[in-house]
Amino acid sequence: MHIGLTYDLKNEYLAQGYTPDECSELDSIETVDALAAVAELMGHRTTRVGHVKDLAKRLVAGERWDLVINIAEGMHGIGREAQVPALLDAYRIPYTFSDPLVCALTLHKGMCKRVVRDMGLNTARFGLVGCEGDLGSIELAYPLFAKPVAEGSSKGVTGASKISEPRELRDVCLALLERYGQPVLVEEYLPGREFTVGIVGTGERARVLGCMEIHIGPNAPHGFYSATNKDDWVGKVSYSIATDDEARAASDLALASYRGLGCRDVSRVDVRTDRNGKPAFIEINPLPGLRPGWSDLVFLCKYAGIEYEQLIRWIIESAMERVCEGSQVRDAAGARG
């Protein structure tokens, strides 16, 4: 099988003058190398395609692939993670990970929480601040937690994100609005344990890889998983696989969210518990980082005893199963016609 790889390389955007903060979600060549290596170990031929504009040029030039491993985060717009899947759908080329609807929905954390809440799943109470006038509509119990509504990798999550009174709320929201140019998600702060749950597969075949608890140590500058603590975790943050009742409840919530939202192949779901130990959905990442030795999902697999190669094999196999099932459905429809 001929597999293409789509991605956004951090170094390429830094060379164009983008800031490190703007590029914090993007990937390194090490990740692309690792994905290609596993695909080739599986006996496939690989081609490195690049970002969405490179993809568009190659498609117009007539290039095609049997499957695309897509880790392109995109750079601009609320639907940036959906751009590559939408383009591949237009050319009827199968790809790994979720479709454009799921990618766009889950990037907007407020809209995603509304859908999750509508499914009857627990999520922290929240509001959105798109301008200073919206602050009066926030009727939540302090402390609160504020972050940009459509960023990943804890981007915009700093020591100021936990808010104890209305003046802080105003200052933090106005600063985030100015810096990121997008609404601010404000949630009631959950003081309990923090988990991230890895899930692989699609539909009824989806299964939990493990539930990893994030422990913030005394040397960490903030008491939660901020961008600083995520990037510089050594000696400050530790991780472990949790299997107690709270962790099992968090895993059940994560899996129900994953299936309900229609995620495919793999995702990482963040969950926190309230003061009574009840888990609440925080957000889901349908394009989780896959950098060896760095990304949270890779950490989770390591602590769960799952090798990197096995994780990537499961992702590719899940996508191939969907492709085969789609072909069978089309063949059956053709026979009926």
Side-chain angles (χ1 to χ4, degrees):
M1 191 162 67
H2 185 192
I3 293 181
L5 292 102
T6 51
Y7 46 81
D8 287 285
L9 289 182
K10 183 179 297 186
N11 285 346
E12 287 186 0
Y13 287 92
L14 289 172
Q16 295 173 33
Y18 289 91
T19 67
D21 187 47
E22 289 173 318
C23 299
S24 60
E25 290 185 81
L26 307 184
D27 285 292
S28 67
I29 191 63
E30 180 186 6
T31 305
V32 179
D33 289 344
L35 294 173
V38 175
E40 289 164 8
L41 278 172
M42 295 173 71
H44 305 302
R45 179 165 64 93
T46 63
T47 294
R48 299 176 188 217
V49 178
H51 52 56
V52 65
K53 293 180 182 177
D54 293 327
L55 174 65
K57 289 176 187 174
R58 286 173 175 250
L59 288 171
V60 170
E63 285 192 56
R64 300 290 185 269
W65 311 273
D66 300 308
L67 179 75
V68 169
I69 298 176
N70 170 45
I71 58 169
E73 299 277 353
M75 179 54 84
H76 300 292
I78 196 74
R80 60 187 182 273
E81 291 186 354
Q83 291 166 350
V84 165
L87 196 51
L88 291 170
D89 276 348
Y91 282 82
R92 303 186 71 181
I93 296 175
Y95 52 90
T96 59
F97 308 128
S98 294
D99 63 25
L101 174 62
V102 171
C103 289
L105 172 66
T106 55
L107 183 61
H108 193 297
K109 304 179 198 312
M111 295 297 289
C112 185
K113 281 167 67 74
R114 287 190 174 116
V115 174
V116 168
R117 186 175 60 191
D118 192 57
M119 289 191 287
L121 302 174
N122 190 41
T123 188
R125 295 178 67 225
F126 68 99
L128 287 176
V129 175
C131 62
E132 186 171 0
D134 290 340
L135 288 164
S137 67
I138 300 298
E139 297 179 347
L140 302 171
Y142 286 83
L144 304 177
F145 200 83
K147 58 188 177 184
V149 77
E151 300 294 345
S153 301
S154 297
K155 196 171 169 181
V157 176
T158 68
S161 294
K162 187 179 175 184
I163 294 164
S164 58
E165 51 93 14
R167 177 169 298 191
E168 282 184 25
L169 176 65
R170 178 184 178 280
D171 292 346
V172 171
C173 286
L174 293 184
L176 289 173
L177 286 169
E178 181 178 358
R179 181 164 186 174
Y180 293 101
Q182 60 181 266
V184 179
L185 177 69
V186 181
E187 301 173 280
E188 290 185 350
Y189 180 74
L190 299 171
R193 299 162 69 186
E194 180 162 5
F195 301 107
T196 192
V197 181
I199 298 175
V200 69
T202 301
E204 290 303 311
R205 288 193 294 269
R207 63 188 188 281
V208 171
L209 293 169
C211 179
M212 184 171 77
E213 184 167 5
I214 298 165
H215 308 276
I216 307 298
N219 295 327
H222 317 127
F224 46 85
Y225 207 29
S226 63
T228 300
N229 289 333
K230 197 165 194 172
D231 289 341
D232 183 20
W233 75 90
V234 177
K236 300 170 185 173
V237 181
S238 60
Y239 308 89
S240 65
I241 295 297
T243 58
D244 56 69
D245 289 346
E246 282 188 30
R248 283 194 290 274
S251 297
D252 290 345
L253 174 64
L255 186 58
S257 305
Y258 180 93
R259 286 175 170 160
L261 291 167
C263 297
R264 306 189 311 200
D265 300 339
V266 80
S267 287
R268 210 197 72 241
V269 189
D270 294 338
V271 176
R272 282 189 72 101
T273 61
D274 64 15
R275 60 174 48 85
N276 299 313
K278 183 178 181 179
F281 172 92
I282 298 299
E283 62 184 67
I284 186 167
N285 189 343
L287 282 177
L290 294 171
R291 181 177 171 184
W294 178 271
S295 300
D296 282 347
L297 181 61
V298 179
F299 276 163
L300 184 154
C301 287
K302 172 187 170 185
Y303 293 122
I306 300 167
E307 297 289 339
Y308 184 84
E309 179 185 332
Q310 182 60 70
L311 171 63
I312 305 307
R313 281 178 177 269
W314 282 337
I315 293 169
I316 295 173
E317 288 168 359
S318 174
M320 291 170 64
E321 286 174 354
R322 291 190 290 99
V323 173
C324 291
E325 288 172 354
S327 299
Q328 291 167 1
V329 170
R330 285 194 295 274
D331 290 346
R336 286 196 297 274

